[in-house]
Amino acid sequence: MLAGQLINGIVSGAMYALVAIGFSLVIGVLDKLNFAHPEVFMFGGFAALVSFAYMPLPLAFLVVFLVGGIMGLFTEFIAFRRFGSADAKITAALASMALGLIVTDLVHKWWGTEPMPVTLPPGWLQNSQQILGVSVLNLQFVILGVTFTLMASLHLVLQRTRMGRQIRALAESSTSASLLGINVKRVTQSVFFISSALAAVGGLLLALRGGAASSDIGLTFGLKALAIMAIGGLGDLRGAVVGGLLIGVLEALMFLFGLGRLVEVTVWVAMIAVLMFRPGGLFGGGMHNQEQRV
């Protein structure tokens, strides 16, 4: 029973981490919050709903990844490009919030306000494996495999590629990065593309796991992701991963011990507890501490 709940918690935490990473990546590089990010996560479920009807699962993953990335580019253009100064942080955040509300309203107009069922293709995904006496769905293995592969890929991009070095330089100082010949606009677009693409895939995975795409899930996951980002440390990608997994496991344990009614406050209690002792979060230091990045 305990092992099964821990697996469920890790699966949930991995999806929390995908959303929190997107928040952390943008705030770590640009020092701004993208409040449209949860709606990109939510829209990933509806993009999956459409993709599954016309293409196999692997191709659907790629399509949703690209759709999320394009939404990120659109968000950067509409809400952030014109508000790039340090004095315009609140304006950019409000603009992104407005854009997110527009996305939610469009989803309501097209699909309605009720959850839309997402049916798993018959076959291997619906089967399960016995591990140490615990029945684990193949779908859970897929979710964990996809999330950790994406996290590892992001780590490699940031640490081993030219684009990653440029992102780290921009996180240190946009002025210095520009003087070094880095195309700040292009790197900023790349950050938005990556963060939003990860969020959209997270929405797809949640739709697969829950069997439905819901327009309400963006707010729920978005608020939790913000709290997880605070727990891990603003702008720190490693903190986003650890914080997401921690909250996922804590929520699963709450269910195990019969405290399911309190599960929604778990993340907030954890955030308060962590910030009381470590105001900067578990890994405070953010993108500027390069050796601590995912």
Side-chain angles (χ1 to χ4, degrees):
M1 187 68 175
L2 175 61
Q5 286 292 355
L6 287 177
I7 291 172
N8 288 334
I10 292 171
V11 171
S12 296
M15 289 187 289
Y16 289 150
L18 275 183
V19 186
I21 282 174
F23 273 127
S24 296
L25 190 59
V26 172
I27 198 172
V29 174
L30 304 176
D31 198 25
K32 292 181 180 179
L33 272 173
N34 175 17
F35 285 119
H37 192 69
E39 275 61 47
V40 176
F41 172 82
M42 175 270 293
F43 192 80
F46 288 93
L49 179 68
V50 175
S51 300
F52 291 161
Y54 298 101
M55 59 191 69
L57 192 61
L59 186 56
F61 270 89
L62 178 59
V63 168
V64 172
F65 183 89
L66 294 175
V67 167
I70 291 170
M71 291 181 72
L73 294 176
F74 186 74
T75 301
E76 185 274 334
F77 177 76
I78 296 294
F80 288 89
R81 185 175 302 180
R82 299 178 184 276
F83 308 112
S85 67
D87 298 330
K89 292 180 182 179
I90 295 178
T91 304
L94 290 175
S96 67
M97 182 182 295
L99 184 59
L101 292 173
I102 291 172
V103 171
T104 301
D105 190 59
L106 290 175
V107 168
H108 286 167
K109 293 290 190 296
W110 190 265
W111 284 285
T113 57
E114 296 298 319
M116 296 290 293
V118 175
T119 305
L120 275 174
W124 183 79
L125 282 177
Q126 296 176 330
N127 298 330
S128 60
Q129 308 292 329
Q130 290 292 325
I131 299 179
L132 300 177
V134 178
S135 180
V136 183
L137 287 173
N138 289 334
L139 175 61
Q140 291 178 302
F141 286 118
V142 170
I143 291 174
L144 290 175
V146 170
T147 51
F148 285 112
T149 297
L150 289 174
M151 292 175 193
S153 298
L154 177 60
H155 171 71
L156 291 176
V157 167
L158 290 175
Q159 298 296 329
R160 303 289 179 84
T161 68
R162 183 167 179 252
M163 176 58 67
R165 291 191 292 272
Q166 292 176 343
I167 289 174
R168 299 202 305 269
L170 182 58
E172 291 292 337
S173 169
S174 59
T175 302
S176 298
S178 181
L179 291 174
L180 289 171
I182 294 173
N183 187 330
V184 173
K185 175 183 171 182
R186 182 170 61 84
V187 175
T188 300
Q189 290 173 331
S190 299
V191 169
F192 272 93
F193 183 94
I194 293 170
S195 65
S196 296
L198 293 178
V201 172
L204 178 153
L205 295 174
L206 183 65
L208 278 177
R209 187 189 185 198
S214 172
S215 59
D216 297 328
I217 203 66
L219 178 62
T220 303
F221 263 67
L223 291 176
K224 284 186 179 182
L226 283 172
I228 287 167
M229 182 175 64
I231 290 170
L234 294 182
D236 192 290
L237 303 187
R238 183 176 67 171
V241 174
V242 172
L245 294 174
L246 174 65
I247 295 303
V249 170
L250 285 177
E251 288 183 348
L253 292 177
M254 294 288 280
F255 280 111
L256 179 64
F257 295 116
L259 299 173
R261 289 179 297 178
L262 302 177
V263 72
E264 292 302 324
V265 303
T266 302
V267 65
W268 307 109
V269 173
M271 183 184 74
I272 293 170
V274 169
L275 296 184
M276 283 179 62
F277 297 98
R278 292 186 64 86
L282 295 175
F283 301 100
M287 291 287 289
H288 304 290
N289 256 342
Q290 300 193 17
E291 65 275 7
Q292 293 185 352
R293 261 184 233 106
V294 172

